Amino acid sequence: MRLSGVGVWSSQLRYGDPAEAAEAAAELEELGYAAVWIPDVGGPVFDAVENLLQATERIAVATGILNLWMHEPADVAARYAALTGTYGDRFLLGIGVSHAPLIDAGDPGRYRKPLAATRAYLDALDALDRPVPADARVLAALGPKMLHLSATRAGGAHPYLVTPEHTATARAALGDGPLLLPEQTAILTTDAGEARSIGTDWLRSYLQLPNYANNILRSGFTQEDVDTVSDRLFDAIIAWGDEEAILDRVAEHRAAGADHVCVQVLDADPQVFPREQWRRLAAALA
């Protein structure tokens, strides 16, 4: 699958009311977005994927990401074959190794050797009679080793919680050809206080996960930036302002080598589908 343009990354499309999620996906397609992305932190993720595919005709649906500890390769391949057989080649399987604190919370010691675990998972997928094609899957990747695996064993990479500078580094690691599909968090407000009120605790929760914190430190930020969620770090990770400011950040990722950028809009109420913000960004993109 080749993917370009701008997409929407949304936990609401995954964990919100399914009927509203289907309606929102259909609207996002009509607004011109190229893809919708949904997370996987438990539950029947393929049912959510089918709900979105069934509600749309053209837009790609991607997992960002399918948690490899929660799904057997044979089950994944079977559901992938069924979904693409019914809805065409619109399903992009994002696969990731998640985070030790999340996986070990229910099964201490299970999370180990993330690179080896990902490689073994891909080996298992490839050994099946009907494997998921390499070009139909991308990997959650931040560091150089996982980026290399993304280039050699998948169709590309889906980095999350990254800056345009990381996108440039990732493109250099991937080389030409593999897809680079970063997520960009955004808050549509020109009020700095409001932006920080909406985004600081959200960002802090991610910085407690070692994979993200370590990548931030590799990107030139300090431990103090991470511990305090400094303004410098906040502004680098979360694009906030008017529509032009958000799309300027998207353009920075594209200039740094991204093929596609999926925008995650934060709202003061995380349970609400931010449909008005999606409409405003789509109008600015048009």
Side-chain angles (χ1 to χ4, degrees):
M1 176 186 291
R2 299 306 302 176
L3 195 56
S4 61
V6 175
V8 165
W9 198 106
S10 170
S11 61
Q12 295 89 354
L13 291 174
R14 170 70 173 88
Y15 293 108
D17 175 74
E20 187 172 2
E23 182 182 290
E27 181 180 10
L28 290 168
E29 179 174 76
E30 290 305 309
L31 288 171
Y33 287 104
V36 291
W37 295 75
I38 58 172
D40 176 32
V41 290
V45 65
F46 291 108
D47 290 355
V49 169
E50 184 161 25
N51 183 49
L52 302 177
L53 287 169
Q54 190 173 46
T56 56
E57 297 179 358
R58 302 176 303 278
I59 200 169
V61 177
T63 50
I65 51 73
L66 178 133
N67 190 320
L68 65 80
W69 304 102
M70 297 180 176
H71 305 276
E72 291 297 323
D75 295 337
V76 170
R79 291 300 300 271
Y80 173 85
L83 289 169
T84 54
T86 302
Y87 302 103
D89 295 327
R90 294 195 291 129
F91 177 30
L92 180 63
L93 181 67
I95 303 170
V97 76
S98 188
H99 307 274
L102 302 180
I103 302 306
D104 287 349
D107 188 1
R110 186 182 186 196
Y111 187 99
R112 63 188 186 277
K113 298 183 178 179
L115 186 69
T118 305
R119 188 181 291 114
Y121 198 85
L122 297 176
D123 288 343
L125 280 177
D126 288 342
L128 296 167
D129 290 339
R130 297 185 66 186
V132 177
D135 63 0
R137 63 197 190 203
V138 294
L139 304 183
L142 296 173
K145 293 180 180 179
M146 198 65 81
L147 285 165
H148 177 72
L149 195 65
S150 301
T152 56
R153 298 292 305 279
H158 172 50
Y160 184 95
L161 210 75
V162 294
T163 64
E165 291 75 18
H166 181 276
T167 294
T169 299
R171 174 49 72 196
L174 291 171
D176 296 333
L179 289 171
L180 180 52
L181 315 166
E183 175 269 351
Q184 175 61 59
T185 307
I187 303 173
L188 266 168
T189 178
T190 57
D191 184 313
E194 182 181 15
R196 282 165 173 68
S197 175
I198 293 171
T200 298
D201 287 344
W202 178 90
L203 181 54
R204 181 178 286 114
S205 70
Y206 279 103
L207 296 176
Q208 293 172 358
L209 300 171
N211 294 5
Y212 291 128
N214 291 337
N215 189 60
I216 293 296
L217 295 173
R218 282 196 302 266
S219 298
F221 294 92
T222 67
Q223 190 63 52
E224 183 178 1
D225 287 321
V226 172
D227 293 341
T228 64
V229 191
S230 69
D231 288 352
R232 181 171 84 100
L233 177 56
F234 186 101
D235 294 346
I237 295 294
I238 300 178
W240 61 272
D242 59 13
E243 294 90 332
E244 182 178 0
I246 307 305
L247 296 184
D248 281 350
R249 181 69 63 85
V250 170
E252 289 178 31
H253 282 286
R254 296 295 299 273
D259 297 284
H260 167 92
V261 181
C262 45
V263 177
Q264 178 177 189
V265 174
L266 300 186
D267 187 86
D269 183 349
Q271 305 303 317
V272 169
F273 287 75
R275 295 174 71 166
E276 181 56 35
Q277 292 99 314
W278 293 338
R279 292 167 188 148
R280 288 170 57 186
L281 287 174
L285 279 166

